[in-house]
Amino acid sequence: MKDFWNQRYSTEAYAYGKEPNAFFSAQLEKTAPGKMLLPGEGEGRNAVYAASKGWSVDAFDQSDAGRDKALALASEAGVEINYSVCPVEDFHYLQNRYDAVGLIYFHTDGPSREKLHRKVYESLKPGGSIFLEAFHKEQLNNNTGGPKALDLLFDEEILSGDFSRLEILMLEKQQITLNEGLFHQGEASVIRLHGIKAN
């Protein structure tokens, strides 16, 4: 998969645009800045936006090309982000470190997903938030982005199980119109979650 993402991010254009994800940016407007983790951050659009709002941002992805474009975008915006290149299973999650974690279209298979979500939860400080937007299983009916394998997609049962220890403030499927770069365009079925780690 690293080769796939390096190829996708190797063009001059930003595959998913330079603007942050709409759900992610809306949540940040309501959240005091602190320390944030962004796994699978790709070309950096959300990390750069968070940094511009005063967050201290750690991000990682398996793609070198993604990191290079993320750092270029950060330089363009006049902000700094801490961006590592590593597979999801190799990132060193420190417990009780982050005030927020953003999981924006990070799709992995079942065992990897469960481990990622557990590590993400553990990395949150008490009172910290998880913001997640990803494709719902019903997205298989659309041709507007996302994986074409059912086991890489989400539904309410999966996320409520993975994040059973969170106080769930929002967990819902939504039909939205995506306008994110070249690869997220048109009507899409997504799922959104906002949860808080109990104090």
Side-chain angles (χ1 to χ4, degrees), residues 67-104:
R67 178 207 46 203
D68 292 347
K69 290 174 80 172
L71 295 179
L73 189 62
S75 179
E76 182 181 301
V79 299
E80 292 186 2
I81 57 176
N82 180 32
Y83 196 116
S84 304
V85 175
C86 64
V88 59
E89 61 270 15
D90 290 351
F91 185 77
H92 185 50
Y93 300 86
L94 296 176
Q95 292 195 1
N96 303 314
R97 180 172 178 82
Y98 296 104
D99 300 288
V101 178
L103 292 167
I104 307 300

Side-chain angles (χ1 to χ4, degrees), residues 84-167:
S84 304
V85 175
C86 64
V88 59
E89 61 270 15
D90 290 351
F91 185 77
H92 185 50
Y93 300 86
L94 296 176
Q95 292 195 1
N96 303 314
R97 180 172 178 82
Y98 296 104
D99 300 288
V101 178
L103 292 167
I104 307 300
Y105 295 104
F106 196 152
H107 292 267
T108 60
D109 61 22
S112 296
R113 187 204 73 239
E114 291 170 7
K115 184 176 181 181
L116 167 66
H117 289 173
R118 184 176 69 254
K119 292 289 188 181
V120 159
Y121 173 84
E122 292 169 353
S123 76
L124 278 181
K125 297 176 183 177
S129 289
I130 290 175
F131 307 119
L132 179 150
E133 180 172 297
F135 287 112
H136 194 276
K137 288 185 176 183
E138 292 182 7
Q139 178 65 7
L140 278 180
N141 300 322
N142 301 317
N143 191 30
T144 52
K148 298 304 179 187
L150 194 63
D151 66 341
L152 295 177
L153 299 170
F154 299 152
D155 61 18
E156 295 87 337
E157 183 179 1
I158 287 172
L159 291 181
S160 61
D162 285 1
F163 292 117
S164 61
R165 291 181 288 173
L166 284 179
E167 177 188 351

Side-chain angles (χ1 to χ4, degrees), residues 24 38 41 44-52 57 59 79-81 83:
F24 177 77
L38 289 165
E41 177 51 10
R45 62 194 177 108
N46 297 309
V48 168
Y49 178 80
S52 76
V57 180
V79 299
E80 292 186 2
I81 57 176
Y83 196 116

Side-chain angles (χ1 to χ4, degrees), residues 18-20 28 60 63 66-67 77 79 87 100 111-112 120 154 167 172 180 182 185:
K18 293 184 176 182
E19 298 302 315
L28 261 58
F60 72 88
S63 169
R67 178 207 46 203
V79 299
S112 296
V120 159
F154 299 152
E167 177 188 351
E172 59 187 50
E180 298 184 328
L182 301 173
Q185 287 290 330

